[in-house]
Structure formats: structure tokens, C-alpha cells
Amino acid sequence: MSDTVAETPRPATDVETPVLARLSTLDRFLPVWILVAMVAGLLLGRLVPGLDDALDAVRVGEVSLPIAVGLLLMMYPVLAKVRYSELDRVTGDRRLLAASLVLNWLIGPALMFGLAWVLLPDLPEYRTGLVIVGLARCIAMVLIWNDLSCGDREAAAVLVAINSVFQILAFGALGWFYLQVLPGWLGLPTTSAEFSVWAIVVSVLVFLGIPLVAGFLTRTIGERSKGRDWYEGRFLPRIGPVALYGLLFTIVMLFALQGDAITSNPWDVVRIALPLLAYFALMFGGSFLLGMRLRLGYAKTATLAFTAAGNNFELAIAVAIGTFGVTSGQALAGVVGPLIEVPVLVALVHVSLRAARRWFPGDPTVPTTTEPSRRSA
């Protein structure tokens, strides 16, 4: 399959304008809104007695109902943007699929394991939480970063779906390997943890399956009834902010549940952030260089890099809560994840777009200021 398969033109994207300037006011100040959501969650957890128990009383799988609602609201608008009729051009690219599988299921978990042990040797709960994060591959927020970087939207949808299948099949076995087998071989302390396969299945089916089906039906019905121009030009911009609202609501709920642990251990939060920062930088940089070496073209290279660098913190948090408890250090490690991911991956969007102009001359998947973009994210 050709590296630069032609796609239907998409709305023009001005890559000469700084990333933040291209965003709406709502998106541009995303780190500010996240900070406000964090503070609001902490205050709610402090000021409302018994709120954490109330939030955790009703669950969807292993996730409290309010958090489940937030996750669904966050993912639906992104998956409604995918052009499902173009997925066949992605599934035929064996180099992209193979590279993604290796990066996500061999290199990513091993890298997080190494960073967790090197940087958190004295904090076993947080170390275990980060190992679990490394096993939970991207199915949510990565689609947003891929969108901003003008990556391949359909490729991202396929890679996310593949990661979801592998999560169901391999998560438990990899957890056993990285928490018990490998540490034992290396003479390190082991962690006993039994992951519920059914909990992982439910998480994937609910938090990817429901918004994926909803997104597919929305696009299919919308295009048939009103046409693609109306759907992409008028409908999608209206539902787009829902993803941010869902993210902020989820963060408020998470911090309401984790407020005491966070305020009591601020230095621990910093310690958890260090391996995450290293992980994002190494995974993104290595994946981007691999995509260039494989000559995937800019759009697919960006998608490969962001899907490899992103993690499914929602699943990691759900597994940590279900296995170790809602106020555990393992769950706190998962909660810190998206707070580090947001500013780091926004910065990597800048890096990706600069690389597009400098390292992909003549590539038709690089968006321009004068021609309709082949933007696929």
C-alpha cells in the first residue's frame, strides 16, 4: 500500500499559526480549566463529608458512575469525527500496524517498568500504579492530540481499536509478567495483583464500544440526512466542546475521590510526574523517528507517535481502584497521569507540526495554508 494514499480533502488548516492560536478560547486555556477542575474537585472532597463514598457507590464495571459519564462524554465527539468509510486504507498498511503493536505492547510497557523502578525504587505503590499505566494503552485523549497535530484520524481510530482488543487479551498476562515474573527474575520485590478480565472487558466495551457505536451512527445518519458539508461544517463544531466538558467533569470527580491523598502527599505527586515526563518524551520521540524511517508520511507518523505516547489512564485508574482501592497509591499514580499528559502532549503537538514543515517536504499529508488539508486527525 502506498505511503501517501489520497484522501478526501478536509478543511484547510493553518499550520503557520501557533497551535494555541488555532484553538478556540475553550481549548486554548485547557491547562487553566484543568487546574480549576483539580481545585474544584479537591474542595468538594474536603467540604462535602462522605462525598467519596457516595461517588463510588454506583459503578459501571469498576468505575464510579459519575466518572463513567464523564469518560463517555469525552470520547463521543472525537469518534463522531472519524470518517469510517476510509478505514480500509489504514488496515492495509502492515508497516503502520506492526510498528504500532511493537511500540504499544512491547516497548511501552517495558519502558514504563524501567522508569518506574529507576525513579521510584522506594515507593512501591506508586511504582505499581505506573506499571499498570504502562500496560493500559491509548483509547481516549490521544484522539484529541492526534487531531491537533493533523495526524491521520482514521488510522488513529484503527490503532485505538486494535489496542482495545489487545487490552482484553493481554492486559492480565502482562500485568502478571511485569509485577511478578520479571521482578522475580531480576531479584526485585514482586507485587501480587489479580486483574479481573471481565472488568477489563467491560471497561473497553463501555468506554470505547459505546462512544464508537454512537460516533459511527451519528456520522452515518448525519451524512445521509444532511450531507457531509453540513455534518463536518456545522454539526461537529457544535458537539466538539462536549469532549472538553467531559474531561473537566471527570477530573473534578477524580480529584474529589483522591483529594486527601493528593493534598497530603504533594512531593509524592512530583515524584510520580518525573517518570511520566520521561516516558512521554522517549515514546513520542522514538515513535516519530521510527515512522520517518518507515516512510509512513507525516500524517501516519504523527498518529503512530501520539498513539504510542498516550495511555489509557481511565482503564489504569479503574484497574487500580478495583484491585487496590479508591484511595490507594496505585490509584493516585493513575490520577496524576492525565495532569502530566495534557501540557506535555500539547507541547508535542508543537513539535510535531514543526517537524512536518521541516522534515516532510513535498508530503501531501502535511497541511498547508493555501490548499485543502489532508488532515486526518
Side-chain angles (χ1 to χ4, degrees), residues 21-150:
R22 289 194 286 112
L23 303 179
S24 66
T25 301
L26 199 63
D27 293 329
R28 189 180 309 161
F29 295 101
L30 182 57
V32 176
W33 309 140
I34 287 178
L35 178 61
V36 171
M38 290 166 50
V39 174
L42 292 174
L43 291 176
L44 282 174
R46 286 261 181 189
L47 300 178
V48 182
L51 179 63
D52 54 348
D53 293 332
L55 292 175
D56 203 40
V58 181
R59 295 187 171 196
V60 177
E62 296 295 336
V63 180
S64 70
L65 179 60
I67 293 177
V69 171
L71 295 176
L72 292 175
L73 290 175
M74 181 175 68
M75 293 190 64
Y76 162 68
V78 180
L79 290 169
K81 294 180 181 180
V82 174
R83 289 181 174 178
Y84 294 92
S85 61
E86 297 182 6
L87 294 183
D88 57 339
R89 68 176 176 77
V90 178
T91 56
D93 193 333
R94 296 181 180 178
R95 290 173 301 165
L96 174 66
L97 299 182
S100 179
L101 288 175
V102 170
L103 289 167
N104 278 286
W105 295 102
L106 293 179
I107 296 177
L111 177 61
M112 187 69 86
F113 174 87
L115 291 171
W117 272 100
V118 169
L119 298 177
L120 300 175
D122 56 330
L123 297 171
E125 288 190 359
Y126 301 148
R127 185 177 64 236
T128 298
L130 287 181
V131 171
I132 293 173
V133 167
L135 300 177
R137 311 312 299 170
C138 62
I139 67 171
M141 280 295 291
V142 67
L143 298 175
I144 294 177
W145 312 128
N146 188 60
D147 187 62
L148 292 175
S149 67
C150 303

Side-chain angles (χ1 to χ4, degrees), residues 58-287:
V58 181
R59 295 187 171 196
V60 177
E62 296 295 336
V63 180
S64 70
L65 179 60
I67 293 177
V69 171
L71 295 176
L72 292 175
L73 290 175
M74 181 175 68
M75 293 190 64
Y76 162 68
V78 180
L79 290 169
K81 294 180 181 180
V82 174
R83 289 181 174 178
Y84 294 92
S85 61
E86 297 182 6
L87 294 183
D88 57 339
R89 68 176 176 77
V90 178
T91 56
D93 193 333
R94 296 181 180 178
R95 290 173 301 165
L96 174 66
L97 299 182
S100 179
L101 288 175
V102 170
L103 289 167
N104 278 286
W105 295 102
L106 293 179
I107 296 177
L111 177 61
M112 187 69 86
F113 174 87
L115 291 171
W117 272 100
V118 169
L119 298 177
L120 300 175
D122 56 330
L123 297 171
E125 288 190 359
Y126 301 148
R127 185 177 64 236
T128 298
L130 287 181
V131 171
I132 293 173
V133 167
L135 300 177
R137 311 312 299 170
C138 62
I139 67 171
M141 280 295 291
V142 67
L143 298 175
I144 294 177
W145 312 128
N146 188 60
D147 187 62
L148 292 175
S149 67
C150 303
D152 191 309
R153 182 180 298 149
E154 287 67 44
V158 170
L159 297 184
V160 162
I162 291 174
N163 282 339
S164 299
V165 173
F166 268 77
Q167 280 177 359
I168 295 173
L169 299 177
F171 191 97
L174 288 174
W176 168 73
F177 177 77
Y178 280 105
L179 294 178
Q180 297 187 38
V181 176
L182 185 56
W185 288 350
L186 299 175
L188 302 171
T190 61
T191 300
S192 178
E194 295 182 1
F195 302 126
S196 169
V197 176
W198 175 242
I200 297 171
V201 171
V202 171
S203 294
V204 170
L205 291 179
V206 171
F207 301 123
L208 178 64
I210 290 177
L212 182 62
V213 171
F216 172 78
L217 292 177
T218 301
R219 176 172 279 277
T220 301
I221 295 172
E223 286 191 353
R224 287 180 180 176
S225 60
K226 295 286 189 176
R228 175 167 288 187
D229 290 341
W230 174 88
Y231 182 83
E232 295 188 348
R234 300 185 62 182
F235 178 74
L236 288 182
R238 291 179 182 176
I239 66 170
V242 174
L244 176 56
Y245 299 146
L247 170 66
L248 297 177
F249 177 77
T250 302
I251 290 175
V252 171
M253 295 297 101
L254 287 173
F255 273 78
L257 287 168
Q258 291 282 343
D260 289 338
I262 293 169
T263 55
S264 301
N265 305 283
W267 175 242
D268 289 352
V269 172
V270 175
R271 292 282 304 275
I272 294 169
L274 293 178
L276 286 170
L277 287 169
Y279 174 84
F280 289 134
L282 292 172
M283 283 299 294
F284 180 87
S287 301

